Amino acid sequence: MTKKRRGLRQLYRELMAEVRARKGVAAVFFTLRAIVIVTLVLQFLRGNYENAFLCILTLLLFMIPAFVNRRLKIQLPSTLEIIILCFIFAAEILGEINAYYVKFDFWDTMLHTMNGFLAAAIGFSMVDVLNRSERTVFNLSPLFVAMVAFCFSMTIGVLWEFVEYFADNVLLLDMQKDTVIHTIRSVALDPTMTNTVMTIDGIADVIVNGESLGLGGYLDIGLHDTMEDLLVNFIGAVVFCTFGFFYLKGRGKGKFVRRFVPTMRTTTEEEIKGE
């Protein structure tokens, strides 16, 4: 066995030990992993190799929280870790393979709202850890910490929309789901070229190459989906930052925010886990 393979096996054992250290996280982790493995086998037998790849990717993503805990010395609260695992499962297995994005209109909206909330929690913790460090010579106000967390969350949301746009235009996918609309407003339709907004209302169908698409309206190519994603990301970020602001104002009192904010692992915690 090569040194590299031994190192990978050792890392895997460490991460599994990290998962088993907390019963709640372990129960969710191993349940979801079993479902993904069964799905992987079924997709492979059916010849759906793209979905099989998504299953493998999901199994790798499941290891990220344990890796962050173990190797980066950042302690993720059990609540946050469980939500991250469920988020990955909901996005990849339910959303992509089981087509929940198409079957349920609210599915994508729900995940983007959760993303805004979780990203704000991570941004909040990054600043809060720095704010509490003895090495820093400044003390940031609760409002400033909340604003930084909000901006961090929105930045993550925007970057993800860039990923979706890239995938649609380069990889020829359809991550920015289209929306059927019935009204178009555009200056491009103005025959006078005077920047006048022209409105076409009551669109019932679209004809392409002489054939009706039967959509019941005009097909918007992703703009509404992108703006809705950013809006619900905004809502999720605002909700968490509001809780985070009052959490800091109360000098760390309250259990709700603590369930979502990662902290730096202490020596005692590392010793308890056998380090």
Side-chain angles (χ1 to χ4, degrees), residues 51 54 58 61 86-115 160-161 164 168 173-179 225 228-229 232:
N51 287 346
L54 286 177
T58 301
L61 292 176
C86 292
F87 181 90
I88 295 170
F89 182 81
E92 299 298 333
I93 304 303
L94 298 181
E96 294 291 346
I97 295 179
N98 291 308
Y100 276 30
Y101 289 129
V102 178
K103 295 177 182 178
F104 304 105
D105 293 336
F106 67 87
W107 199 256
D108 186 57
T109 301
M110 175 190 70
L111 292 180
H112 277 278
T113 305
M114 189 181 300
N115 177 74
W160 179 250
E161 293 305 318
E164 291 190 353
D168 291 355
L173 301 179
D174 185 22
M175 297 184 69
Q176 294 177 300
K177 298 297 186 289
D178 303 327
T179 305
D225 177 76
E228 183 180 276
D229 290 347
V232 296

Side-chain angles (χ1 to χ4, degrees), residues 46-270:
R46 293 170 182 171
N48 296 328
Y49 300 117
E50 182 178 343
N51 287 346
F53 170 77
L54 286 177
C55 291
I56 295 173
L57 176 62
T58 301
L59 293 174
L60 293 175
L61 292 176
F62 278 171
M63 305 301 294
I64 291 179
F67 181 85
V68 170
N69 283 334
R70 191 76 173 186
R71 287 303 178 93
L72 300 184
K73 309 302 181 185
I74 297 175
Q75 185 63 55
L76 300 180
S78 295
T79 300
L80 177 62
E81 191 166 345
I82 290 173
I83 291 177
I84 291 174
L85 293 173
C86 292
F87 181 90
I88 295 170
F89 182 81
E92 299 298 333
I93 304 303
L94 298 181
E96 294 291 346
I97 295 179
N98 291 308
Y100 276 30
Y101 289 129
V102 178
K103 295 177 182 178
F104 304 105
D105 293 336
F106 67 87
W107 199 256
D108 186 57
T109 301
M110 175 190 70
L111 292 180
H112 277 278
T113 305
M114 189 181 300
N115 177 74
F117 186 92
L118 296 179
I122 294 172
F124 182 91
S125 67
M126 291 169 59
V127 182
D128 189 44
V129 167
L130 176 65
N131 208 28
R132 296 185 182 190
S133 174
E134 297 179 356
R135 299 177 182 178
T136 58
V137 295
F138 54 85
N139 187 29
L140 304 177
S141 70
L143 180 60
F144 184 84
V145 175
M147 288 177 60
V148 172
F150 170 78
C151 292
F152 178 83
S153 176
M154 292 304 300
T155 300
I156 296 299
V158 170
L159 291 177
W160 179 250
E161 293 305 318
F162 287 167
V163 171
E164 291 190 353
Y165 181 80
F166 174 84
D168 291 355
N169 288 272
V170 178
L171 303 180
L172 305 181
L173 301 179
D174 185 22
M175 297 184 69
Q176 294 177 300
K177 298 297 186 289
D178 303 327
T179 305
V180 176
I181 59 177
H182 304 282
T183 302
I184 298 176
R185 298 179 183 86
S186 174
V187 297
L189 301 175
D190 176 23
T192 64
M193 304 295 289
T194 57
N195 203 36
T196 301
V197 177
M198 304 299 293
T199 301
I200 299 179
D201 200 5
I203 301 174
D205 196 7
V206 175
I207 298 176
V208 177
N209 297 328
E211 295 186 10
S212 171
L213 297 182
L215 296 173
Y218 175 75
L219 193 65
D220 164 74
I221 52 174
L223 175 61
H224 284 259
D225 177 76
T226 296
M227 296 310 299
E228 183 180 276
D229 290 347
L230 292 176
L231 177 61
V232 296
N233 190 105
F234 169 86
I235 293 173
V238 167
V239 169
F240 182 86
C241 290
T242 301
F243 280 108
F245 171 77
F246 288 107
Y247 171 78
L248 292 180
K249 286 285 287 185
R251 298 183 182 276
K253 296 180 180 179
K255 297 180 179 179
F256 179 78
V257 172
R258 259 185 259 167
R259 294 179 181 272
F260 300 94
V261 178
T263 57
M264 297 303 296
R265 176 175 287 180
T266 63
T267 303
T268 303
E269 289 172 336
E270 293 170 5

